[in-house]
């Protein structure tokens, strides 16, 4: 018997699902709103969640990734009557098991459930023992990084060609090294080929090597990088820069693991595992004829997309702590403390250079602070301080009051978000707010931010969008009122 959760605001749909799934022998629970459904997922051990898209308090598609977090997270089946452009594509990309449109027959409703439960039974009955993943300098515990680490583990346990994509500075080489160090080839070489610095005149000699006398100056035989990777991993960094003329030759190397050094009569072989990385859109390049599609298919057996740092704000604090301690030890200076405002500025900044920029910034801060025991915003580079002072919505430039919508106290001390405070009272009506005005303002503000965080399920980015506050300002209000982000 499996545990099924139905999240749908239509009572008739909930009842139909209950009848069908209980008739199959399963335990069924139901929730009419997204908030109550997510709370049920958090508290219950469900196997499958049937999730509507249009719910009174949110869009179901936006919650798929949060529901599917965790090792034993339930499978999500989108079950909706709403017609969304690319709805099925979005559902699958976010991790849904299937996408079903209403109305649906009993068979259409139940078949995905049968398949999902079969998958879970096989998955957990043959679960491999947990092994600590070597993840040197891949710092962070955010769900999006956890998924990348899962992919690293999968890639390490296979010989499949792996393509790593991500913006400049996200740490693609660190991920490639982690695949190598967690694989059976860990004792072999890890050979890096930077395709962006190879000229067409040198690339064949660098990759394939050359025989003695192959060209002027070739006084002895030279072993190419492909041969040097024998028994280990060949890492093609910036593979999007590989000259088009060389892509066909390298495709044959991937297919046969054989190549001919420049000027040699005989072919040589190399048993290597390939990992490639790029910050370019290779499918778009292939569509424009600037990258061979057949080579792309070979590279793309497994794909790991590394998120930009701005997409995993929750890791910024841990990264900052790690590299601050690292550079304090490197430069032999005392370990540092941090003012709360310091992290406000770190979280407010967008980090266009990603982790690489953060690492360089932290090193700069440690060098400048030197013997200062505590780090303050004054220790930061000016561009980060200026960005933090401006905020996301321009609040310190006179745009908006930074307080969000007006609120009024609810029945139990809560807040009704979005209602304007009353402008007056009827004659003879008693005023029940028997507290000082400053206390009333403080409690009203606290109610507002509690309601914002509840409505956004603790998601800081959504809370910033809703309140029109920058991260620095939002964190300051949450800290003032003692409101947790979790």
């Amino acid at each position: 018997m499996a545990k099924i959760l139905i999240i749908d605001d239509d009572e008739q749909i909930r009842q139909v699902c209950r009848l069908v799934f209980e008739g199959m022998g399963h335990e069924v629970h139901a929730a009419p709103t997204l908030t109550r459904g997510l709370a049920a997922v958090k508290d219950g051990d469900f196997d499958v969640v049937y999730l509507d898209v249009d719910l009174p308090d949110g869009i179901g598609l936006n919650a798929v990734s949060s529901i599917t977090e965790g090792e034993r997270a339930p499978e999500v089946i989108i079950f909706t009557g709403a017609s969304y452009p690319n709805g099925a594509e979005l559902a699958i990309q976010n991790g849904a098991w299937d996408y079903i449109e209403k109305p649906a027959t009993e068979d259409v409703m139940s078949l995905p459930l049968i398949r999902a439960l079969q998958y879970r039974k096989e998955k957990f009955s043959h679960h491999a023992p947990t092994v600590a993943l070597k993840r040197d300098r891949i710092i962070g515990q955010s769900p999006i990084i956890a998924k990348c680490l899962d992919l690293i583990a999968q890639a390490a346990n296979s010989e499949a060609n792996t393509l790593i994509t991500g913006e400049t500075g996200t740490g693609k080489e660190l991920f490639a090294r982690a695949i190598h160090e967690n694989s059976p080839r860990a004792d072999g070489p890890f050979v890096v080929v930077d395709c962006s610095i190879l000229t067409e005149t040198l690339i064949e000699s660098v990759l394939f090597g050359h025989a003695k006398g192959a060209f002027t100056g070739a006084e002895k035989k030279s072993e190419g990088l492909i041969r040097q990777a024998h028994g280990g991993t060949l890492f093609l960094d910036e593979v999007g820069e590989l000259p088009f003329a060389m892509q066909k030759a390298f495709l044959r190397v991937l297919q046969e693991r054989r190549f001919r050094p420049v000027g040699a009569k005989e072919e040589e072989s190399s048993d290597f595992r390939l990992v490639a990385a790029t910050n370019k859109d290779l499918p778009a390049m292939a569509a424009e004829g600037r990258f061979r599609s057949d080579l792309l298919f070979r590279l793309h057996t497994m794909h790991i997309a590394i998120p930009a740092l701005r997409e995993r704000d929750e890791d910024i604090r841990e990264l900052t702590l790690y590299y601050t301690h690292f550079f304090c030890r490197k430069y032999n200076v005392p370990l540092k403390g941090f003012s709360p405002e310091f992290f406000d500025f770190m979280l407010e900044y967008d980090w266009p250079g990603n982790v690489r920029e953060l690492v360089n910034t932290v090193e700069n801060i440690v060098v400048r602070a030197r013997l200062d025991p505590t780090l303050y915003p004054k220790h930061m580079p000016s561009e980060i301080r200026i960005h933090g002072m401006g905020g996301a919505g321009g609040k310190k430039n006179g745009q908006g009051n930074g307080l969000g919508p007006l609120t009024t106290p609810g029945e139990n001390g809560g807040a009704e978000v979005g209602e304007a405070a009353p402008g007056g009272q009827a004659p003879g009506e008693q005023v029940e707010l028997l507290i000082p005005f400053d206390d009333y303002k403080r409690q009203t503000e606290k109610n507002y931010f509690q309601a914002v965080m509840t409505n956004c399920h603790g998601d800081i980015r959504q809370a910033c969008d809703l309140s029109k506050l920058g991260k620095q300002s939002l964190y300051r209000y949450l800290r003032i009122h003692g409101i947790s982000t979790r």
Side-chain angles (χ1 to χ4, degrees), residues 55-75:
L55 291 159
D57 55 343
I59 303 298
L61 283 174
N62 296 337
V64 175
S65 57
S66 62
I67 294 174
T68 55
E69 291 172 4
E71 184 180 358
R72 297 192 68 92
E75 308 304 326

Side-chain angles (χ1 to χ4, degrees), residues 201-221:
T201 55
L202 292 177
I203 190 168
E204 283 191 86
S205 177
V206 171
L207 289 179
F208 303 151
H210 60 260
K212 180 180 179 181
F215 49 82
T216 303
E219 298 178 355
K220 61 180 180 178
K221 178 181 178 180

Side-chain angles (χ1 to χ4, degrees), residues 118-366:
Q118 180 182 359
Y119 162 76
R120 290 176 70 80
K121 181 179 179 180
E122 295 172 352
K123 176 182 178 180
F124 295 121
S125 63
H126 298 88
H127 191 64
T130 301
V131 178
L133 191 71
K134 297 176 185 176
R135 48 178 294 187
D136 182 39
R137 290 188 294 158
I138 301 178
I139 309 301
Q141 306 296 331
S142 61
I144 195 167
I145 281 296
K147 290 183 178 180
C148 288
L149 293 173
D150 286 342
L151 290 172
I152 286 177
Q154 294 174 27
N157 288 321
S158 75
E159 287 286 297
N161 298 331
T162 302
L163 179 64
I164 302 173
T165 59
E167 295 179 6
T168 299
T170 49
K172 295 185 286 295
E173 184 171 340
L174 287 180
F175 277 70
R177 287 186 181 274
I179 292 172
H180 171 73
E181 291 169 0
N182 288 278
S183 74
R185 296 175 175 266
D187 292 334
F190 180 82
V191 178
V192 179
V193 180
D194 187 348
C195 299
S196 64
I197 63 174
L198 294 177
T199 63
E200 291 195 33
T201 55
L202 292 177
I203 190 168
E204 283 191 86
S205 177
V206 171
L207 289 179
F208 303 151
H210 60 260
K212 180 180 179 181
F215 49 82
T216 303
E219 298 178 355
K220 61 180 180 178
K221 178 181 178 180
S222 175
E223 195 174 63
L225 295 178
I226 292 176
R227 179 59 189 174
Q228 291 177 25
H230 179 73
T233 300
L234 182 69
F235 175 50
L236 287 186
D237 196 14
E238 302 301 342
V239 69
E241 303 288 348
L242 190 66
F244 194 85
M246 276 298 301
Q247 292 176 22
K248 183 176 181 179
F250 195 77
L251 177 63
R252 180 174 178 271
V253 175
L254 284 182
Q255 291 171 332
E256 302 179 12
R257 294 301 195 266
R258 296 188 64 80
F259 59 95
R260 187 190 304 275
V262 176
K265 296 180 179 179
E266 302 292 334
E267 287 190 335
E268 296 182 6
S269 62
S270 178
D271 174 24
F272 64 89
R273 191 274 175 81
L274 180 75
V275 179
T278 184
N279 61 2
K280 297 186 178 297
D281 186 343
L282 294 188
M285 291 177 64
E288 296 169 1
R290 295 187 291 121
F291 197 87
R292 291 183 65 98
S293 57
D294 47 3
L295 178 57
L296 175 59
F297 297 147
R298 283 282 179 177
L299 299 176
H300 204 279
T301 307
M302 287 198 68
H303 179 212
I304 301 176
I306 305 178
L309 185 55
R310 62 183 173 276
E311 296 172 3
R312 52 183 186 113
D313 293 347
E314 54 267 67
D315 291 333
I316 291 176
R317 185 184 185 92
E318 186 177 352
L319 281 160
T320 302
L321 289 169
Y322 176 88
Y323 282 104
T324 300
H325 293 165
F326 174 85
F327 288 117
C328 283
R329 291 192 300 269
K330 177 179 178 179
Y331 293 110
N332 196 28
V333 298
L335 296 180
K336 308 297 184 186
F338 303 85
S339 68
E341 295 79 14
F342 182 89
F343 284 112
D344 287 344
F345 277 82
M346 293 294 283
L347 288 163
E348 181 69 43
Y349 190 58
D350 286 335
W351 302 107
N354 294 294
V355 176
R356 182 183 299 158
E357 182 184 7
L358 183 143
V359 173
N360 292 337
T361 298
V362 170
E363 182 175 14
N364 174 277
I365 289 170
V366 170

